[in-house]
Amino acid sequence: MPSRPNSPPARGRPPGAKSFDADVALAFGAIVREGRVAAGLSQETLAHMANVERSYFGRIERGESQPTLFVVLKISSALGSDSGAIVSRVEDSIRRKSRRTSAKPK
């Protein structure tokens, strides 16, 4: 049986790896803003309902922050929406953007 090194396992992301994706963050933020406005809620009210800091919520809507799954679940619950439906809309938005970008003449 091979011997194991005595060093602890690596934690976190590999050096240089990034998990922020601006397209995903922008699409999610736009969909959340659309739902909030349709519900007639202010950012502050929805942030309070989701138990999220208002300034962080504003960054999410502007696509400057990419929320964790836990925050996505809290926001979708506060909107009275299914989180899966919101994620599907984000995926559709990204696909549409990708098609528009690849269809542009060079």
Side-chain angles (χ1 to χ4, degrees), residues 47-104:
H48 178 74
M49 291 169 64
N51 197 26
V52 174
E53 284 289 326
R54 196 223 41 90
S55 60
Y56 177 52
F57 189 84
R59 289 193 307 274
I60 290 170
E61 279 198 356
R62 291 189 302 275
E64 296 169 1
S65 289
Q66 189 167 296
T68 63
L69 175 59
F70 183 60
V71 174
V72 169
L73 295 173
K74 292 191 326 181
I75 291 172
S76 62
S77 177
L79 282 170
S81 296
D82 178 65
S83 57
I86 290 176
V87 171
S88 290
R89 291 182 62 201
V90 170
E91 291 173 330
D92 291 344
S93 175
I94 292 167
R95 278 190 214 106
R96 282 192 308 275
K97 182 179 179 185
S98 177
R99 282 189 213 121
R100 284 192 307 265
T101 303
S102 63
K104 287 184 179 178

